[in-house]
């Protein structure tokens, strides 16, 4: 066996890189979204064992909606990509290109077993550039084919060394083959078919049998004329070991899928649910369709489901001629290869085994699969095709007069294929380019129209997306998903009536309940979302909440394991204030999926509404154990710990807020709450920094502006607080606490009674019954020495708040002052409102300064937040003159409505 030289490896590598370097600029498209972006098994927070419990898409194998595609080794490579580059698509594409190069080199090594040096290189070069491989190489999910092919070829190469020079069995290569077959199968299911390829090689190549020879040997044994030859016994022993190993793998595989086939709908594979003979005629016709894609890969399409290939419903359909021609050609090749022992026959039989055996699992002939045609499943069969082409080239090129022509044809073929592959890669740049390119090939596939609509929808181009969704309903009027897409898009366009009509059409297309027949087996799980979407739409109308609840319950009755229905119903029940039922709905959903962080989060929200903060915190922690970077759980659990008022929780709350702002660096709410925690801990410099950050991200951030001003005020930096308060009042002129604080600073630190008076008058203009504003205006009158007016003002304040003792005391002080001044013959009102002289200000009548009372309540860190300043907290302002202290502001203001949206998870 000729080895592969470094020059050949470099040639193959250069050719692959030349064809596929532009794939590095492609993103995640089509199935990549489910397998990569939405697959939690890639995240480091997911236990590694989940890779061996879930399918290729991250769905537990036990769930009915699972596709039963068990490929843990492939998912493991995705996880390694994520570990190094997270969701950088270029690294995923780069690894695919490298793996394709490895496959090409291994394929060249395999070709050397039954082709000469030149023709084997031609086969490898053709395989490297064939356009049919773009889906497997440029599509990230095609890595399953690449990895499986590597182990498949390695297993075959190992098996070829299982016979020694003296024709005895070497067991080590056979053991290695079994291990590699298992690895190939764990990358993709078709990997197990290499066992059949090994059997064909053992019988017809290694032992040199032909079909007539095998039949003669069997006839002699049955007639008792002779026993099995030793070579045949050796062959049987090796094959028995391979077959038993294969059966064990099959048994394990069946156990993994729990003896259940995945649920596919007639939209995925229309022929699978068609009657006889339509089903058989169509599936057999798909064989020449796939063969034509290998021969002429000029019109490639990423999706061949639904109406792409019309059903073959009659024996007189002309397409049956293509099926007949295909089987005749295949039969002739098989006859040639099985009848003779020469090298050409051995090459052909190996080529046929590479074409036929790996394709059987995807052929629909023995069991239905979830697609009609898929280009990536032709990755391994194309190896056999390339061997046949190279073998044909070898035969023709040995004819002297055709040698130059054959080289010219191969050169043109390689060039055109390489150019086609390079150009085809650009189609995979984005979902929009991929699906629009597919529509150029096939306009009868509603799924393609839907997918172009989805791509436009992701760009928020709802009007144009609607046109594609509506076209999908025209192409396939009974497509439930298309009508659901129309409804969702109308909803995004704020056309609720049209959206409801579309959802009702989709609902009317759902299979009807048939007594005694399991409903779940006849409908795709995602189609049940029509009940969820319709309920979510109509529950916006408060009068239709019960109707929405009925839809959720209907979905649950159809599929008791429909987790999303429980989640949505729990949210509705929470809105209806049926807290116990909402909790029960989430607990039922958790019975179905205890690894769903969102469910634990939603349950925690119910606990908060039920005034059970300790249980809420416990469930938030469950969510964070499953997903340590669950943004809403981080935020709201930290908020809950902050609201508790217990300093022991503050460090952990601070850590969670810091993690939250790492995830959401542009959300001012996170920085604001870090600032509030710093204020609680008297870390003023940190509090100022966080508040400034929040304000920088959200201009006019009401709570951050007020608390920053309050921080300055408490830190004896009242003058710094004034520009902050001015900014607050510019954005929120009705902010009463800001006006009180500004008036207090102007009166007591700037001695600007006119400015303070304007602040308090603005408060009373907005709220004539505001006790704080009214009282502080009375203080201004007192400072202006308008004692009669101050007296009337305090009498009015006392009428508003008869139980406020400080107002009564201040009124008595004013009356005492008035009586003393009357007795001294002094006027009760200063003509110009001037302050009394220092001599007159001496506090001879009252022994101590008047107390100012800080009152008010903290706003909105939580519905039950308790203010850190209490109504009986008192500050004494020392002064050389007797004066009435205005009611100050000693209250932090936290988020109110601005954080309410953190408390929901739809």
């Amino acid at each position: 066996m000729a080895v592969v030289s470094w020059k050949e490896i470099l040639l193959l590598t250069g050719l692959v890189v030349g064809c596929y370097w532009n794939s590095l600029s492609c993103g995640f498209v089509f199935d990549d979204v489910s397998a990569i972006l939405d697959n939690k098994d890639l995240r480091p927070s997911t236990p590694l064992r989940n890779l061996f419990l879930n399918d290729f898409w991250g769905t537990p194998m036990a769930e009915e909606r699972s596709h039963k595609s068990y490929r843990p080794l492939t998912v493991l490579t995705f996880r390694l990509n994520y570990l190094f580059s997270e969701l950088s698509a270029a690294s995923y594409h780069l690894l695919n290109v490298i793996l394709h190069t490895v496959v090409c080199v291994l394929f060249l090594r395999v070709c050397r077993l039954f082709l000469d040096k030149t023709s084997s290189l031609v086969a490898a070069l053709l395989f490297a550039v064939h356009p049919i491989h773009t889906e497997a190489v440029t599509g990230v999910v095609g890595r399953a084919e690449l990895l499986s092919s590597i182990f498949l070829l390695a297993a075959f190469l190992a098996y070829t060394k299982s016979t020694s020079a003296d024709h005895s069995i070497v067991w080590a290569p056979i053991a290695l083959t079994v291990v590699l077959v298992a690895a190939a199968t764990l990358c993709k299911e078709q990997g197990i078919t290499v066992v059949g390829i090994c059997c064909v090689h053992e019988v017809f190549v290694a032992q040199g049998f032909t079909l007539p020879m095998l039949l003669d040997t069997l006839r002699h044994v049955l007639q008792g004329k002779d026993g099995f030859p030793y070579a045949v016994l050796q062959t049987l022993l090796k094959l028995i070991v391979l077959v038993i190993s294969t059966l064990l793998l099959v048994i394990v595989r069946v156990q993994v899928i729990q003896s259940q086939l995945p649920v596919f709908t007639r939209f995925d594979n229309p022929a699978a649910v068609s009657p006889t003979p339509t089903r058989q005629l169509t599936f057999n016709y798909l064989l020449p369709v796939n063969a034509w894609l290998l021969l002429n890969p000029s019109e490639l399409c990423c999706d061949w489901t639904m109406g792409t290939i019309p059903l073959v419903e009659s024996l007189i359909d002309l397409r049956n001629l293509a099926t007949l021609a295909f089987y005749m050609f295949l039969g002739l090749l098989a006859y040639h290869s099985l009848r003779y022992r020469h090298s050409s026959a051995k090459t052909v039989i190996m080529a046929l085994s590479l074409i036929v055996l790996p394709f059987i699992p995807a052929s629909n002939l023995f069991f239905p699969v979830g697609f009609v045609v898929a280009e990536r499943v032709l990755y391994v069969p194309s190896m056999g095709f390339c061997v046949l082409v190279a073998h044909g080239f070898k035969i023709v090129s040995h004819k002297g007069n055709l040698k130059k022509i054959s080289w010219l044809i191969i050169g043109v073929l390689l060039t055109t294929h390489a150019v086609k592959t390079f150009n085809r890669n650009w189609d995979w740049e984005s979902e929009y380019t991929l699906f629009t390119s597919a529509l150029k090939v096939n306009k009868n596939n509603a799924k393609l129209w839907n997918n172009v609509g989805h791509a436009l929808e992701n760009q928020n181009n709802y009007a144009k997306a609607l046109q594609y969704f509506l076209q999908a309903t025209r192409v396939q009027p009974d497509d439930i998903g298309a009508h659901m897409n129309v409804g969702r898009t109308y909803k995004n366009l704020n056309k609720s009536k049209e959206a409801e009509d579309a959802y009702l059409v989709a609902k009317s297309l759902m299979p009807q309940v048939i007594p005694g027949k399991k409903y779940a087996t006849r409908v795709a799980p995602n189609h049940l979302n029509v009940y969820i979407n319709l309920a979510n739409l109509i529950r916006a109308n408060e009068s239709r909440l019960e109707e929405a609840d009925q839809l959720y319950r209907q979905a649950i009755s159809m599929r008791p394991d429909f987790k999303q229905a429980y989640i949505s119903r729990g949210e509705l029940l929470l809105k209806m204030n049926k807290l116990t039922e909402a909790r029960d709905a989430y607990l039922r959903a958790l019975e179905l999926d205890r690894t769903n962080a969102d469910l634990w989060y939603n349950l925690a929200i119910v606990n908060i509404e039920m005034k059970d903060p300790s249980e809420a915190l416990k469930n938030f922690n469950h969510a964070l154990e499953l997903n340590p970077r669950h943004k809403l759980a981080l935020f709201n659990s930290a908020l809950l710990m902050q609201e508790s008022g217990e300093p022991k929780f503050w460090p952990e709350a601070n850590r969670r807020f810091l993690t939250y702002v790492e995830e959401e660096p542009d959300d001012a709410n996170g920085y604001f709450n870090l600032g509030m925690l710093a204020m609680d801990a008297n870390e003023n410099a940190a509090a100022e920094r966080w508040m400034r950050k929040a304000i920088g991200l959200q201009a006019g951030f009401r709570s951050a502006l007020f608390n920053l001003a309050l921080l300055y005020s408490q830190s004896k930096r009242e003058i710094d607080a004034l520009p902050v308060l001015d900014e607050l009042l510019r954005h929120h002129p009705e902010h009463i606490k800001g006006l009180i604080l500004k008036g207090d600073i102007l009166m007591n630190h700037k001695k600007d009674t006119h400015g303070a008076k304007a602040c308090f008058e603005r408060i009373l203009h907005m709220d004539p019954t505001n006790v704080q504003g009214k009282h502080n205006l009375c203080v201004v009158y007192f400072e202006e020495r308008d004692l009669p007016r101050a007296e009337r003002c305090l009498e009015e304040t006392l009428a508003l708040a008869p139980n406020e003792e400080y107002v009564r005391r201040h009124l008595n002080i004013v009356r005492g002052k008035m009586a003393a001044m009357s007795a001294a013959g002094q006027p009760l009102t200063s003509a110009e409102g001037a302050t009394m002289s220092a001599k007159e200000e001496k506090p001879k009548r009252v022994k101590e300064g008047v107390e100012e009372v800080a009152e008010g309540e903290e706003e909105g860190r939580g519905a039950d937040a308790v203010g850190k300043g209490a109504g009986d907290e008192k500050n004494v302002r020392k002064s050389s003159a007797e004066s009435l202290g205005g009611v100050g502001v000693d209250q932090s203001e936290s988020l109110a409505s601005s954080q309410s949206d953190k408390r929901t998870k739809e």
Side-chain angles (χ1 to χ4, degrees):
M1 177 178 62
V3 296
V4 178
S5 68
W6 281 106
K7 289 182 180 180
E8 291 170 326
I9 293 175
L10 290 175
L11 175 61
L12 287 171
T13 302
L15 196 57
V16 169
V17 171
C19 287
Y20 287 100
W21 68 264
N22 59 336
S23 69
L24 302 185
S25 62
C26 298
F28 294 117
V29 297
F30 205 14
D31 290 339
D32 297 347
V33 176
S34 299
I36 308 296
L37 300 183
D38 299 338
N39 193 346
K40 295 179 181 178
D41 288 347
L42 271 63
R43 279 48 173 180
S45 57
T46 303
L48 271 175
R49 60 183 176 85
N50 282 25
L51 273 64
F52 296 90
L53 299 175
N54 298 341
D55 67 13
F56 186 55
W57 316 97
T59 305
M61 294 293 290
E63 292 192 13
E64 189 173 347
R65 63 190 179 94
S66 168
H67 278 231
K68 311 302 181 185
S69 46
Y70 188 65
R71 304 165 191 173
L73 293 187
T74 303
V75 180
L76 182 61
T77 66
F78 292 153
R79 184 162 174 145
L80 291 174
N81 267 122
Y82 188 91
L83 183 65
F84 287 107
S85 63
E86 294 195 350
L87 294 175
S88 171
S91 72
Y92 293 78
H93 290 294
L94 176 61
L95 184 52
N96 273 24
V97 173
I98 293 171
L99 292 174
H100 181 53
T101 305
V102 174
V103 174
C104 292
V105 173
L106 285 173
F107 178 56
L108 175 58
R109 185 70 178 267
V110 169
C111 289
R112 290 280 155 85
L113 295 174
F114 32 81
L115 286 173
D116 60 33
K117 187 174 181 179
T118 302
S119 54
S120 60
L121 182 59
V122 168
L125 292 174
L126 180 58
F127 180 80
V129 303
H130 202 296
I132 202 71
H133 299 155
T134 50
E135 184 170 339
V137 181
T138 309
V140 177
V141 295
R143 187 176 300 175
E145 268 73 26
L146 303 176
L147 287 169
S148 180
S149 298
I150 288 174
F151 288 115
L152 181 148
L153 294 173
F156 178 71
L157 288 171
Y159 184 79
T160 59
K161 299 177 180 179
S162 62
T163 302
S164 66
D166 60 355
H167 301 290
S168 61
I169 300 175
V170 183
W171 290 106
I174 294 178
L176 179 59
T177 299
V178 172
V179 172
L180 291 171
V181 169
T185 307
L186 291 176
C187 293
K188 189 171 183 183
E189 299 76 8
Q190 70 181 32
I192 201 169
T193 60
V194 70
V195 173
I197 298 171
C198 291
C199 292
V200 171
H201 179 270
E202 178 66 29
V203 174
F204 297 104
V205 179
Q207 300 302 328
F209 289 110
T210 62
L211 189 58
M213 291 172 61
L214 287 177
L215 293 175
D216 285 343
T217 302
L218 183 60
R219 186 173 66 253
H220 289 162
V221 171
L222 293 176
Q223 292 175 352
K225 294 180 180 179
D226 198 1
F228 283 109
Y230 180 72
V232 174
L233 290 176
Q234 275 197 319
T235 301
L236 285 175
L237 182 59
K238 291 169 72 174
L239 297 185
I240 287 170
V241 171
L242 279 182
V243 170
I244 290 176
S245 302
T246 304
L247 289 176
L248 289 175
L249 285 174
V250 171
I251 291 170
V252 171
R253 183 70 174 80
V254 170
Q255 289 297 316
V256 166
I257 67 172
Q258 301 185 357
S259 303
Q260 292 180 340
L261 288 174
V263 176
F264 298 117
T265 68
R266 57 192 173 88
F267 303 111
D268 298 317
N269 192 344
V273 294
S274 299
T276 302
T278 299
R279 181 170 65 254
Q280 290 77 12
L281 291 175
T282 303
F283 284 155
N284 280 280
Y285 171 67
L286 295 180
L287 300 179
V289 170
N290 282 278
W292 181 248
L293 288 175
L294 290 173
L295 281 167
N296 180 30
S298 59
E299 293 188 341
L300 299 178
C301 182
C302 62
D303 192 303
W304 295 80
T305 56
M306 304 188 84
T308 303
I309 299 176
L311 297 175
V312 182
E313 299 178 298
S314 168
L315 290 172
I316 61 173
D317 191 313
L318 292 178
R319 288 175 294 173
N320 290 319
L321 295 176
T323 305
L324 186 62
F326 171 80
Y327 275 114
M328 288 178 63
F329 180 71
L330 195 67
L332 287 172
L333 286 176
Y335 176 82
H336 167 79
S337 60
L338 293 174
R339 187 173 179 81
Y340 303 103
R341 297 185 63 179
H342 50 70
S343 61
S344 177
K346 293 179 179 180
T347 301
V348 172
I349 192 62
M350 290 309 303
L352 289 178
S353 66
L354 282 169
I355 292 174
V356 174
L357 296 177
F359 185 73
I360 285 175
S363 67
N364 282 292
L365 295 177
F366 299 98
F367 48 84
V369 294
F371 54 83
V372 179
V373 172
E375 291 164 12
R376 62 174 175 259
V377 303
L378 292 174
Y379 189 77
V380 176
S382 69
M383 295 179 186
F385 170 78
C386 292
V387 169
L388 284 179
V389 172
H391 184 53
F393 162 78
K394 173 186 173 182
I395 295 171
V396 174
S397 64
H398 284 171
K399 299 182 183 298
N401 57 337
L402 296 177
K403 184 175 182 179
K404 291 183 179 180
I405 295 177
S406 63
W407 274 105
L408 178 63
I409 292 173
I410 284 296
V412 171
L413 185 64
L414 292 175
T415 303
T416 54
H417 275 28
V419 171
K420 172 65 177 179
T421 297
F422 184 82
N423 290 332
R424 174 64 174 158
N425 289 332
W426 292 122
D427 292 341
W428 292 79
E429 186 175 16
S430 68
E431 294 209 319
Y432 182 77
T433 57
L434 179 64
F435 297 125
T436 51
S437 71
L439 280 176
K440 295 174 184 176
V441 175
N442 171 35
K443 291 181 170 57
N444 295 322
N445 186 341
K447 191 174 179 181
L448 293 176
W449 293 99
N450 279 319
N451 284 331
V452 175
H454 286 309
L456 291 167
E457 191 177 32
N458 291 335
Q459 300 171 12
N460 296 324
N461 191 347
Y462 299 119
K464 193 172 181 182
L466 181 61
Q467 297 174 14
Y468 281 88
F469 290 141
L470 289 171
Q471 179 62 24
T473 63
R474 288 189 282 268
V475 171
Q476 187 90 32
D478 59 349
D479 182 6
I480 297 172
H483 291 285
M484 290 169 63
N485 292 334
V486 170
R488 186 182 62 257
T489 310
Y490 273 131
K491 182 182 178 183
N492 289 331
L493 291 170
N494 297 316
K495 296 182 177 181
S496 299
K497 178 64 172 65
E498 291 86 346
E500 184 174 349
D501 291 341
Y503 284 139
L504 289 173
V505 172
K507 181 171 173 284
S508 69
L509 293 171
M510 294 290 287
Q512 300 302 308
V513 176
I514 301 174
K517 187 169 183 180
K518 190 177 179 183
Y519 185 87
T521 61
R522 297 180 296 111
V523 64
N526 62 312
H527 284 171
L528 280 173
N529 284 324
V530 66
Y531 295 95
I532 307 299
N533 294 351
L534 182 57
N536 290 345
L537 176 69
I538 66 175
R539 77 181 195 188
N541 185 340
E542 295 289 335
S543 66
R544 302 181 70 182
L545 296 183
E546 290 293 343
E547 187 180 347
D549 188 34
Q550 176 62 33
L551 285 167
Y552 291 136
R553 284 186 277 128
Q554 186 175 354
I556 290 170
S557 69
M558 291 176 173
R559 286 183 67 99
D561 63 343
F562 191 17
K563 179 179 60 181
Q564 187 57 48
Y566 292 105
I567 295 173
S568 298
R569 184 167 186 252
E571 186 184 339
L572 176 67
L573 292 169
L574 185 60
K575 182 178 181 179
M576 297 169 71
N577 205 32
K578 297 181 178 181
L579 302 180
T580 303
E581 292 182 57
R583 181 191 61 193
D584 293 342
Y586 286 132
L587 288 173
R588 175 70 181 102
L590 281 168
E591 290 177 11
L592 299 170
D593 183 8
R594 298 190 67 81
T595 63
N596 189 318
D598 291 339
L599 280 174
W600 290 106
Y601 170 82
N602 285 358
L603 183 59
I605 297 303
V606 176
N607 295 140
I608 288 176
E609 297 297 324
M610 297 179 77
K611 314 300 183 190
D612 191 352
S614 61
E615 191 66 21
L617 186 57
K618 188 187 303 181
N619 289 324
F620 278 138
N621 291 339
H622 275 305
L624 291 171
E625 286 171 9
L626 293 166
N627 181 5
R629 304 190 82 81
H630 190 290
K631 291 181 284 191
L632 292 176
L634 283 167
F635 186 94
N636 282 295
S637 62
L639 200 62
L640 197 60
M641 290 187 280
Q642 188 179 9
E643 291 171 1
S644 71
E646 297 187 37
K648 66 179 182 181
F649 287 134
W650 292 350
E652 178 61 17
N654 191 73
R655 186 194 69 78
R656 293 187 183 186
F657 277 132
L658 285 172
T659 306
Y660 175 78
V661 297
E662 288 177 10
E663 294 293 308
E664 290 287 345
D666 297 327
D667 187 356
N669 294 327
Y671 299 102
F672 168 77
N673 280 284
L674 283 167
M676 296 301 295
L677 275 172
M679 286 181 69
D680 289 340
N682 295 318
E683 297 173 358
N684 292 345
E688 180 182 359
R689 185 174 71 254
W690 293 126
M691 292 296 182
R692 287 287 184 191
K693 179 72 172 176
I695 295 166
L697 287 170
Q698 183 179 323
F701 193 159
R702 169 187 168 127
S703 299
L705 286 166
F706 176 77
N707 282 287
L708 180 59
L710 185 61
L711 175 67
Y712 287 147
S713 176
Q714 292 173 342
S715 306
K716 303 188 183 304
R717 296 169 59 186
E718 289 86 354
I719 304 305
D720 291 337
L722 283 176
V724 178
L725 288 168
D726 287 339
E727 184 179 354
L728 169 68
L729 294 170
R730 185 171 68 254
H731 289 282
H732 307 282
E734 77 294 344
H735 197 286
I736 291 176
K737 286 185 181 182
L739 288 166
I740 289 174
L741 181 57
K742 182 179 179 181
D744 182 66
I745 293 173
L746 289 173
M747 185 167 61
N748 293 296
H749 298 278
K750 297 282 287 185
K751 305 303 180 184
D752 181 2
T753 55
H754 293 292
K757 183 177 182 180
C759 290
F760 301 137
E761 286 177 341
R762 279 175 63 186
I763 294 172
L764 294 175
H765 177 72
M766 292 183 290
D767 180 11
T769 64
N770 188 284
V771 175
Q772 286 178 288
K774 186 78 172 176
H775 174 269
N776 286 7
L777 184 61
C778 302
V779 174
V780 173
Y781 294 150
F782 181 83
E783 292 293 333
E784 291 178 343
R785 301 310 173 192
D786 191 345
L787 298 183
R789 193 171 184 182
E791 180 185 26
R792 290 194 303 273
C793 180
L794 285 167
E795 287 173 348
E796 293 170 1
T797 306
L798 189 61
L800 291 172
N803 297 322
E804 293 291 354
E805 187 59 32
Y806 73 91
V807 179
R808 193 180 303 279
R809 287 202 308 271
H810 292 179
L811 178 59
N812 290 335
I813 290 172
V814 171
R815 286 172 175 171
K817 183 83 170 177
M818 291 172 67
M821 293 179 71
S822 296
Q826 296 177 348
L828 298 181
T829 304
S830 174
E832 297 179 1
T835 304
M836 299 171 66
S837 67
K839 182 178 181 180
E840 293 171 325
E841 290 175 2
K842 292 178 182 179
K844 295 180 179 178
R845 300 172 184 83
V846 181
K847 294 182 180 179
E848 57 183 345
V850 178
E851 299 158 334
E852 72 170 39
V853 181
E855 67 175 22
E857 63 179 349
E858 186 172 355
E859 294 182 9
R861 279 185 187 165
D864 304 312
V866 179
K868 64 179 179 181
D872 57 354
E873 179 179 342
K874 301 177 181 179
N875 299 323
V876 178
R877 180 186 294 111
K878 296 183 180 179
S879 174
S880 59
E882 290 173 344
S883 64
L884 297 183
V887 177
V889 179
D890 193 44
Q891 273 308 107
S892 300
E893 174 184 327
S894 292
L895 294 175
S897 61
S898 62
Q899 286 183 183
S900 61
D901 62 335
K902 300 292 179 186
R903 290 292 175 86
T904 59
K905 176 67 177 180
E906 295 187 12

